[in-house]
Amino acid sequence: MKRIKAIYPGSFDPPTNGHLDLIQRGSQIFDELVVAILGNPEKEPLFSVPDRRKMLEAMTADFDNVTVDTFGGLTVDYATKIEAGAILRGIRAISDYEYELQMALMNRKLQPGLETVFMMPAEKYSYLSSRLVREIAQYGGAIDCLVPPLVAQKLREKLDIAHKFADNTAVLGDEESTTERKTKSRKKKS
Ligand code: PNS
C-alpha cells in the first residue's frame, strides 16, 4: 500500500494549541507528517527558527510519525526534496479560505503532483492565531489556554526581556512621547 508523507508548513511564531490540534489530526491520516517551519526573511519573527523548532519538537514528542524540520524558499520545492505527496493546511473560518485556496492552486500550478489537504481544527481554536497570541502576551493578557505551557513560558521570558529593555530606555530618557512633548510645550506657553 502507498505510504503518504505530508508536510505541514507554516511560520509557527509561536506555535499554538490550534497548530497542535491540527498536527494531531494530520498524524492520524498521514503515515508521516513533517512540521516544516519557514525561515521567512521578509518577516521579523518574535522567535528565532531554532527556538520555534525546539518548541514544536517538545510539543510533538509523543507523536511517533511526526517530525519537525525547517526550510527556506518555495514550499513545493521543499516538499519535492523530501518526497512528500501532500501539504496539510488548516482552515479555521471562511476568512482563511480565499488565501488558502489561492495558495493551494498556485502550489498545484507549480507542482501538479502535490495535493493540498485542508483540515479544520476544533471549533474552540477557530479564532486562535499566532498574531493574536503575540499581541495578547505583549500586553500581559492570559495566554495559558491558547498555547502549550512551554510556549507560554517562552513567551513570558521573551517579553520580560523586551519590557525590561523598554523600561531601561524610558529611564535613560531616550524616548519622549509626542503627548509628553505637547504637554510641556503647552505649559511653557501658558
Ligand atoms: O503560517 P503561515 O504564515 O500562514 O504559513 C504560510 C506559508 C509558510 C505556508 C507560506 O507563506 C509559504 O508556503 N511560504 C513559502 C514560500 C512559497 O512557497 N510561496 C508561494 C506560496 S503559493
Side-chain angles (χ1 to χ4, degrees):
M1 209 172 88
K2 195 174 173 190
R3 289 178 62 79
I4 302 184
K5 184 198 253 190
I7 61 166
Y8 177 28
S11 308
F12 306 105
D13 186 34
T16 67
N17 286 341
H19 291 130
L20 186 56
D21 180 276
L22 213 75
I23 291 168
Q24 195 232 326
R25 287 170 200 279
S27 76
Q28 281 166 2
I29 65 163
F30 296 112
D31 298 295
E32 260 182 83
L33 182 64
V34 181
V35 180
I37 308 163
L38 174 70
N40 188 345
E42 281 165 29
K43 283 188 190 171
E44 180 129 339
L46 179 61
F47 287 103
S48 68
V49 170
D51 277 353
R52 281 177 268 164
R53 183 178 193 147
K54 273 188 217 140
M55 287 186 270
L56 280 161
E57 277 172 351
M59 285 162 63
T60 57
D62 290 341
F63 301 111
D64 289 342
N65 61 344
V66 177
T67 52
V68 181
D69 196 7
T70 62
F71 76 104
L74 290 177
T75 294
V76 291
D77 289 342
Y78 172 71
T80 308
K81 191 179 99 185
I82 66 159
E83 296 178 348
I87 298 172
L88 171 65
R89 290 287 290 173
I91 294 210
R92 292 162 297 188
I94 283 290
S95 48
D96 283 338
Y97 181 72
E98 210 172 320
Y99 170 63
E100 292 297 335
L101 178 72
Q102 187 184 19
M103 217 162 40
L105 293 178
M106 183 57 84
N107 281 332
R108 181 185 281 166
K109 180 90 187 152
L110 294 169
Q111 184 59 265
L114 192 64
E115 286 299 333
T116 296
V117 176
F118 294 126
M119 293 186 84
M120 289 157 291
E123 308 86 274
K124 62 182 170 181
Y125 302 129
S126 59
Y127 53 85
L128 182 52
S129 74
S130 297
R131 186 181 63 78
L132 286 181
V133 167
R134 287 198 302 271
E135 198 169 304
I136 293 162
Q138 194 180 341
Y139 295 112
I143 47 166
D144 295 278
C145 53
L146 309 177
V147 294
L150 168 80
V151 178
Q153 157 136 14
K154 291 278 172 211
L155 271 166
R156 279 189 210 103
E157 284 169 16
K158 171 89 39 192
L159 294 164
D160 266 0
I161 294 168
H163 284 151
K164 274 186 196 134
F165 182 75
D167 286 351
N168 280 344
T169 313
V171 169
L172 291 171
D174 286 349
E175 296 282 331
E176 187 176 39
S177 73
T178 313
T179 314
E180 281 168 341
R181 264 200 311 280
K182 281 182 186 166
T183 313
K184 276 186 194 164
S185 123
R186 251 184 253 121
K187 274 184 187 157
K188 267 188 204 159
K189 280 182 197 158
S190 63

